[in-house]
């Protein structure tokens, strides 16, 4: 017995010793992956020493003698702080996530391989001008030197049991192409959705469901479009064979309103406290750990020996300052929803081996893709392409479809935007923007002299005629792209008479300028209109006044829905039938509806609208999904607001598609659905908006290793704001930064962002600054006092 006890204790001691040794080794590996903050590092690629001063939040000021050395240092810092994030961006665009995460990423990789971005990135890199090639090569050297200088590989690779792969020049191109995937339709989904509606229904119905404008329009040139009338004759949707819970059906999780984009606005020096322009910008993206952007300040000498200082946000994976201020101009971006791709309907021969072009039938070209899968044998994918682009599927008539997309052309990516760092005024900034290769953006720019302006940054295709709203044939030569607009042809507005400009992903201009941009699915103008109205509510602005606009959570858009529920849904008869509605009516009878965390009324009105919309269009949606699985109601959800409002107010009998349904039944059913969802485990008066809109900002690694959530993810804080207001905020979506700055007056500027600079959870500034973002604090634009100093020395 004693022998058994001795063996047991000895075995236990050995196990504990091994466990202790393993934990010591694990701690050492994770700790060794921390970036180097102080001291010196000798690295390859520098011509002279570079000084990196970080403040308490880890925001670096990088001081170099020239732009090339600065690019090396930027790459070094990005790699040390954010290499795993950079790796995900390049793999996302290349369709190479399966090599990290295994088979669960395979379907996504297959969908991305259609675009062959890895091959395209190599072609784009080789044709860049010499100055941009030097910049990318220097940045790539810095990335690999930064990765090598870590004492251990980034902790994510330790958990995945993988080795990080070195950065290549083409990976920087892929990083920008990854933003194309985030900001534009990669499969022509919206165009295909509208095309199906167009073929299934008559023109009046199509025009009604696809309105050109609404009461929410707030274009900066004052142009106004109007909705179409309710058709005299509606469609007939079969009630038979309608399947419930179709994958692409209308969204029932109440998160369907999120819209990748941004807000930006500017006031001229005539109405600013500084005498210079003031520019505000908050870019709306999915929010994860770490944040998309990395704050920095650059100081270097130009080729002409001019001292340059520029501060703002960089994108790890690229060497550029994406948005910020250089003391002469300040600039910011919102995503433009112009028409940046077209879906082409092919006309093929009988055996589908050739397709018709203006010069006759042509053979398809074929490309084989090998997808590496972690822990498995590689998968093979065969792609079919045309002179216009890849075949992306078939429509409901089994006709092959092809995608013509800006992102497939060499014009898609360049690094001309680096010249914004040295631009002196809005005229110079416009030239840079119009020559830049980025996903098309509304650029808002203001300069030190007080002028402001708007233009498009990024390539704009020049089309042979007005087409692209729905899929079309290009076989007869009528429809084609004629290259790209020159800078002289770009839409521009500068020095507005009323000293104010604004954009928020909705239609910005009309007339000839809109004809050049097209309509790729603009947002409803509610955000733009609320920002515009706030700008005209004051005569003088400082930075804090513009930040207050960014934090505006007044539910102007939903005010009419609040009134509708109180008058139409909660009418006398419904209150008699269901006495519990009296409590709901009392809750909704608030004077100022806002998306505050403690508001029950806001949550009810918001969710009611979504439930009623989904119910009214349910049969239409399900019928069209059955005809073509590519139909996606989500892509037209914003424009549907206009016909929805017309229907529930005019209540035409010829619309109802289900027997024994009347409009009041729709209104009551939406009440029931909203009430039931909000009172599953609680009384209605406890069902606040903050409860539904609680932050879920996660590190991607915790999806597979959830027990690390406590250490890696951001706090589960209740957040104010929503989609149809300036303060855009969802659980894991919203303002990826908020910036307000006046060029030449950066010391009074404002900048904050979610998560933090750090990608490593043991960093001394992990989560630093996140609370400022949560609370909307006016935190400084410029880096603070130096806390950490690092010198990069030429090897």
């Amino acid at each position: 017995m004693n022998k058994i006890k001795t063996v047991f204790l000895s075995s236990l001691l050995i196990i504990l010793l091994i466990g202790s040794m393993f934990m010591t080794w694990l701690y050492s590996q994770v700790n060794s992956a921390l970036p180097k903050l102080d001291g010196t590092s000798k690295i390859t690629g520098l011509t002279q020493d570079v000084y990196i001063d970080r403040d308490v939040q880890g925001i670096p000021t990088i001081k170099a003698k020239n732009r090339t050395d600065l690019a090396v240092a930027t790459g070094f810092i990005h790699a040390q702080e954010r290499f795993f994030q950079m790796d995900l961006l390049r793999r996302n665009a290349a369709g190479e996530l399966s090599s990290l995460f295994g088979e669960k990423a395979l379907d996504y990789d297959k969908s991305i391989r259609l675009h062959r971005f890895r091959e395209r990135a190599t072609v784009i890199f080789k044709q860049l001008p010499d100055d941009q090639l030097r910049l990318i090569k220097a940045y790539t050297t810095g990335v690999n030197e930064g990765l090598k200088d870590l004492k251990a590989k980034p902790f994510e690779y330790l958990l995945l049991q993988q080795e990080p792969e070195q950065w290549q020049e083409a990976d920087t191109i892929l990083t920008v192409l990854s933003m194309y995937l985030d900001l534009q339709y990669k499969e022509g989904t919206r165009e295909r959705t509208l095309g199906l509606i167009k073929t299934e229904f008559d023109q009046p119905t199509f025009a009604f469901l696809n309105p050109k404008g609404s009461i929410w329009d707030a274009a900066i040139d004052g142009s106004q479009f109007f909705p179409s009338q309710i058709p005299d004759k509606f469609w007939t949707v079969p009630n038979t064979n309608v399947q419930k819970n179709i994958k692409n059906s209308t969204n029932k999780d109440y998160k369907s309103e999120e819209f990748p984009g941004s807000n930006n606005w500017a006031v001229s020096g005539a109405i600013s406290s500084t005498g210079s322009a003031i520019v505000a910008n908050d870019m709306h993206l999915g929010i994860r750990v770490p944040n998309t952007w990395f704050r920095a300040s650059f100081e270097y000498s130009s080729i002409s020996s001019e001292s340059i200082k520029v501060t703002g946000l960089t994108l790890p994976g690229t060497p550029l300052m994406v948005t910020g201020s250089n003391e002469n101009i300040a600039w910011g971006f919102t995503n433009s929803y112009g028409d940046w791709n077209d879906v082409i309907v092919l006309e093929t021969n009988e055996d589908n081996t050739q397709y018709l072009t203006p010069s006759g039938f042509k053979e398809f070209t074929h490309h084989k893709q090998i997808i590496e899968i972690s822990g498995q044998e590689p998968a093979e994918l065969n792609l079919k392409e045309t002179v216009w682009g890849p075949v992306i599927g078939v429509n409901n008539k089994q006709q092959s479809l092809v995608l013509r997309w800006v992102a497939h052309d060499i014009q898609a990516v360049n690094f001309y935007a680096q010249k914004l760092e040295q631009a002196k005024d809005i005229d110079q900034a416009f030239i840079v923007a119009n020559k830049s290769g980025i996903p098309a953006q509304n650029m808002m720019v203001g300069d030190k002299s007080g002028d402001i302006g708007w233009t498009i940054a990024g390539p704009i295709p020049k089309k042979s005629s007005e087409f692209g709203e729905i899929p079309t044939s290009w076989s007869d030569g009528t429809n084609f792209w004629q290259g790209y607009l020159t800078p002289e042809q770009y839409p521009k507005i500068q020095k507005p008479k009323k000293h104010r400009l604004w954009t928020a992903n909705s239609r910005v201009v009309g007339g000839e300028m809109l004809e050049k941009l097209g309509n790729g699915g603009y947002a409803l103008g509610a955000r733009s209109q609320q920002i515009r109205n706030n700008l005209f509510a004051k005569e003088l602005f400082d930075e804090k006044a513009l930040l207050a606009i960014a934090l505006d959570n007044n539910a102007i858009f939903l005010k009419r829905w609040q009134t509708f529920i109180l008058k139409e849904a909660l009418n006398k008869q419904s209150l008699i039938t269901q006495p519990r509605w009296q409590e709901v009516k009392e809750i909704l009878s608030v004077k100022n509806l806002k998306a505050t965390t403690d508001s029950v009324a806001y949550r009810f009105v918001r969710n009611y609208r979504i439930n009623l919309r989904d119910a009214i269009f349910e049969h239409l949606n399900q019928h069209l999904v059955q005809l073509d699985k590519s139909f996606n109601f989500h892509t037209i959800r914003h424009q549907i607001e206009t016909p929805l409002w017309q229907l529930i107010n005019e209540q035409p009998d010829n619309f109802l598609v289900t027997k024994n349904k009347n409009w009041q039944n729709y209104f009551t059913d939406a009440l029931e659905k909203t009430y039931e969802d909000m009172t599953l485990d609680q009384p209605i008066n406890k069902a606040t908006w903050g409860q539904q809109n609680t932050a879920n900002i996660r590190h991607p690694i915790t999806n597979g290793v959830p027990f690390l959530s406590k250490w890696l993810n951001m706090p589960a804080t209740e957040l104010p704001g929503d989609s149809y207001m300036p303060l855009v905020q969802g659980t894991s979506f919203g303002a990826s930064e908020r910036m307000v700055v006046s060029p030449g007056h950066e010391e009074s500027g404002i900048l904050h962002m979610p998560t933090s600079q750090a990608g490593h959870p043991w960093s001394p500034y992990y989560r630093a600054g996140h609370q400022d973002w949560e609370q909307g604090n006016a935190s400084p634009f410029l880096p603070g006092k130096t806390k950490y100093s690092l010198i990069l020395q030429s090897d």
Side-chain angles (χ1 to χ4, degrees):
M1 187 68 177
N2 288 336
K3 185 177 181 180
I4 296 174
K5 185 177 180 180
T6 301
V7 171
F8 173 77
L9 291 175
S10 299
S11 300
L12 181 61
L13 185 62
I14 291 171
I15 292 171
L16 290 174
L17 181 61
I18 293 173
S20 176
M21 292 173 63
F22 173 76
M23 292 306 295
T24 301
W25 173 84
L26 182 63
Y27 177 89
S28 173
Q29 291 295 301
V30 174
N31 191 65
S32 296
L34 281 164
K36 189 171 186 177
L37 303 182
D38 287 302
T40 61
S41 285
K42 287 192 174 183
I43 66 172
T44 301
L46 293 176
T47 61
Q48 299 186 59
D49 291 354
V50 176
Y51 297 84
I52 301 172
D53 296 331
R54 286 177 170 93
D55 69 3
V56 69
Q57 290 191 16
I59 303 168
T61 299
I62 309 172
K63 302 174 183 179
K65 294 296 184 183
N66 57 70
R67 189 59 178 83
T68 303
D69 282 352
L70 191 139
V72 174
T74 304
F76 182 93
I77 294 175
H78 281 171
Q80 293 229 320
E81 297 275 15
R82 301 284 194 88
F83 187 80
F84 184 69
Q85 174 195 1
M86 295 164 60
D87 194 13
L88 293 186
L89 285 172
R90 65 174 170 177
R91 289 176 186 271
N92 178 64
E96 296 171 354
L97 291 170
S98 298
S99 60
L100 266 186
F101 300 113
E103 190 177 17
K104 59 186 176 184
L106 182 58
D107 287 343
Y108 179 80
D109 279 351
K110 286 181 177 179
S111 72
I112 298 303
R113 287 296 180 99
L114 280 172
H115 306 291
R116 294 195 298 114
F117 279 147
R118 171 65 73 181
E119 294 95 317
R120 297 184 197 278
T122 301
V123 172
I124 289 172
F125 173 73
K126 289 180 179 179
Q127 58 80 47
L128 289 175
D130 289 344
D131 60 332
Q132 295 181 31
L133 285 173
R134 286 194 297 271
L135 191 72
I136 303 309
K137 288 179 179 178
Y139 179 77
T140 300
T141 298
V143 171
N144 291 325
E145 288 294 302
L147 188 62
K148 184 175 70 174
D149 195 67
L150 292 173
K151 295 178 181 179
K153 60 189 176 184
F155 77 94
E156 295 94 341
Y157 298 96
L158 182 66
L159 295 171
L160 292 168
Q161 299 181 48
Q162 299 266 9
E163 293 297 322
E165 297 181 5
Q166 282 214 321
W167 197 256
Q168 302 174 35
E169 285 95 348
D171 292 339
T172 295
I173 312 294
L174 285 170
T175 300
V176 181
L177 290 172
S178 189
M179 298 307 291
Y180 271 93
L181 291 171
D182 277 353
L183 299 173
Q184 298 179 6
Y185 290 112
K186 65 180 182 292
E187 295 174 342
T189 309
R190 181 177 183 274
E191 196 168 316
R192 294 167 73 175
T193 293
L194 290 176
L196 184 61
I197 296 174
K198 178 80 170 178
T199 58
E200 276 296 293
F201 307 121
D202 59 19
Q203 178 56 33
T205 299
F206 178 75
F208 175 66
L209 294 174
N210 186 35
K212 300 300 181 185
S214 74
I215 65 167
W216 300 108
D217 286 358
I220 58 178
D221 65 352
S223 57
Q224 183 77 40
F225 296 154
F226 300 97
S228 300
Q229 294 181 344
I230 294 179
D232 293 331
K233 181 182 178 181
F234 269 106
W235 59 87
T236 301
V237 177
N239 283 318
T240 57
N241 300 320
V242 175
Q243 300 174 2
K244 298 291 183 180
N245 300 319
I246 294 176
K247 181 179 179 181
N248 286 334
S249 186
T250 42
N251 197 318
K252 294 294 185 182
D253 66 359
Y254 301 120
K255 297 179 184 178
S256 62
E257 307 308 286
E258 294 176 356
F259 194 77
S262 307
N263 302 326
N264 63 19
W265 56 98
V267 296
S268 77
I271 58 171
S272 80
S273 60
T274 66
S276 300
I278 308 178
V279 175
N281 188 206
D282 49 277
M283 296 183 281
H284 308 152
L285 296 168
I287 300 174
R288 60 189 66 86
V289 180
N291 189 37
T292 300
W293 314 112
F294 184 83
R295 296 180 61 175
S297 187
F298 295 166
E299 296 182 15
Y300 65 97
S301 296
S302 68
I303 295 175
S304 59
S305 299
E306 180 185 6
S307 295
I308 304 297
K309 181 175 181 179
V310 57
T311 303
L313 299 160
T314 67
L315 174 64
T318 76
L320 305 188
M321 189 69 69
V322 176
T323 183
S325 179
N326 69 4
E327 300 184 337
N328 291 301
I329 67 163
W331 72 97
F333 296 118
T334 72
N335 196 40
S336 171
Y337 280 87
D339 191 8
W340 313 127
N341 55 38
D342 287 312
V343 178
I344 302 167
V345 181
L346 292 185
E347 298 178 33
T348 59
N349 60 0
E350 289 187 5
D351 61 0
N352 205 35
T353 58
Q354 296 180 320
Y355 62 97
L356 186 61
T357 73
S359 59
F361 279 96
K362 289 186 179 291
E363 300 281 343
F364 290 97
T365 56
H366 297 270
H367 300 270
K368 184 166 72 173
Q369 298 279 300
I370 304 298
I371 304 176
E372 299 292 334
I373 308 171
S374 178
Q376 295 187 24
E377 292 296 313
E380 187 174 303
L381 181 66
N382 293 303
L383 307 178
K384 188 161 63 171
E385 290 191 3
T386 69
V387 292
W388 300 303
V391 176
I392 58 173
V394 296
N395 61 17
N396 62 312
K397 297 179 181 179
Q398 297 305 302
Q399 295 171 298
S400 292
L401 302 175
V402 166
L403 185 67
R404 179 76 177 95
W405 188 13
V406 169
H408 293 159
D409 291 347
I410 59 173
Q411 291 86 351
V413 181
N414 65 42
F415 297 90
Y416 199 81
Q418 186 269 325
K419 296 183 182 297
L420 285 171
E421 297 170 9
Q422 300 178 33
K424 302 297 185 185
D425 54 37
I426 63 173
D427 291 320
Q428 291 183 15
F430 277 5
I431 293 171
V432 176
N434 302 157
K435 291 183 177 181
S436 294
I438 60 174
Q441 302 290 298
N442 296 299
M443 187 177 85
M444 191 69 66
V445 60
D447 63 29
K448 190 174 182 178
S449 70
D451 292 332
I452 59 174
W454 162 88
T455 190
I456 294 292
I460 302 175
K462 185 178 181 180
K463 299 188 179 184
S464 60
S465 60
E466 287 191 44
F467 66 89
E469 184 174 54
I470 62 172
T472 57
S473 172
W474 287 23
S475 63
D476 65 1
T478 302
N479 300 326
F480 59 94
W481 286 9
Q482 301 172 306
Y484 287 84
L485 297 186
T486 63
E488 295 75 23
Q489 297 170 321
Y490 268 60
K492 302 178 182 73
I493 291 179
Q494 58 191 109
K495 302 179 182 179
K497 292 180 180 179
K498 295 184 178 180
H499 308 294
R500 301 160 174 86
L501 288 173
W502 59 91
T503 79
N505 312 121
S506 56
R507 182 178 61 81
V508 178
V509 291
E512 291 183 4
M513 289 191 285
L514 179 61
E515 290 177 7
K516 293 177 179 180
L517 301 177
N519 181 357
Y522 291 112
L524 197 69
R527 269 189 294 126
S528 296
Q529 190 177 108
Q530 196 163 335
I531 292 168
R532 179 200 67 188
N533 292 348
N534 283 333
L535 286 171
F536 280 97
K538 290 173 66 72
E539 293 301 324
L540 184 67
F541 294 87
D542 60 12
E543 291 90 343
K544 289 184 179 180
L546 291 191
L547 177 63
I549 295 176
L551 301 175
D552 180 9
N553 60 9
N554 281 289
I556 305 300
F557 169 71
L558 287 179
K559 184 65 179 176
R560 65 178 186 175
W561 279 94
Q562 178 190 25
T563 302
F564 176 85
I565 297 171
L566 289 171
K567 289 185 177 180
E568 296 291 334
L570 293 172
N571 57 31
K572 290 182 179 180
Q573 184 58 42
S574 67
L575 292 174
I576 294 171
T577 306
Q578 281 282 9
R580 64 178 174 171
W581 294 147
Q582 185 61 47
E583 182 183 9
V584 173
K585 185 172 183 178
E586 291 172 2
I587 288 172
L588 298 188
S589 298
V590 294
K591 184 176 181 180
N592 297 315
L593 189 67
K594 294 185 176 184
T596 55
T597 56
D598 62 348
S599 178
V600 177
Y602 180 82
R603 179 177 176 181
F604 195 99
V605 174
R606 177 195 187 274
N607 293 356
Y608 175 90
R609 171 187 166 271
I610 293 173
N611 284 324
L612 182 58
R613 179 198 66 190
D614 291 357
I616 287 174
F617 292 108
E618 179 182 27
H619 280 73
L620 169 71
N621 178 55
Q622 292 179 345
H623 171 64
L624 292 175
V625 170
Q626 284 188 319
L627 291 177
D628 188 340
K629 299 301 182 186
S630 71
F631 178 83
N632 192 321
F633 186 85
H634 187 72
T635 64
I636 59 172
R637 66 199 183 283
H638 295 293
Q639 68 190 55
I640 282 293
E641 168 67 17
T642 298
L644 171 63
W645 188 252
Q646 291 173 269
L647 286 171
I648 64 172
N649 282 278
E650 297 186 34
Q651 301 177 19
D653 293 335
N654 62 342
F655 173 81
L656 298 174
V657 294
T658 55
K659 293 181 179 179
N660 302 319
K661 269 280 188 183
N662 60 48
W663 286 103
Q664 191 59 45
N665 285 343
Y666 272 115
F667 305 155
T668 302
D669 288 351
L671 280 175
E672 293 282 359
K673 169 67 174 169
T674 306
Y675 188 90
E676 289 174 6
D677 287 350
M678 290 176 63
T679 58
L680 287 176
D681 301 306
Q682 63 190 349
I684 187 68
N685 61 2
K686 299 294 184 181
T688 63
W689 173 237
Q691 186 186 81
Q692 180 173 316
N693 202 45
T694 298
N696 184 28
I697 301 172
R698 306 175 61 86
H699 191 292
I701 210 74
T702 61
N703 294 325
V705 193
F707 74 87
L708 293 177
S709 297
K710 178 180 178 181
W711 294 277
L712 296 181
N713 297 342
M714 294 298 109
T717 306
E718 293 187 358
L719 299 171
D722 196 12
S723 296
Y724 292 109
M725 58 188 60
L727 182 57
V728 172
Q729 187 58 70
T731 58
S732 56
F733 179 87
S736 60
E737 51 79 34
R738 297 189 192 98
M739 178 188 80
V740 187
V741 63
S742 181
H745 304 272
E746 287 75 12
E747 71 284 351
S748 58
I750 298 166
L751 180 57
H752 55 233
M753 68 180 197
T755 77
S756 67
Q757 292 284 93
H760 196 300
W762 293 355
S763 167
Y765 40 83
Y766 196 73
R767 297 192 178 100
H770 181 74
Q771 191 174 66
D772 285 337
W773 172 82
E774 287 180 334
Q775 298 175 359
N777 295 331
S779 45
F781 175 80
L782 293 173
K785 293 181 180 180
T786 299
K787 184 173 178 61
Y788 311 99
S789 294
L790 176 67
I791 302 173
L792 300 183
Q793 298 177 330
S794 177
D795 189 1

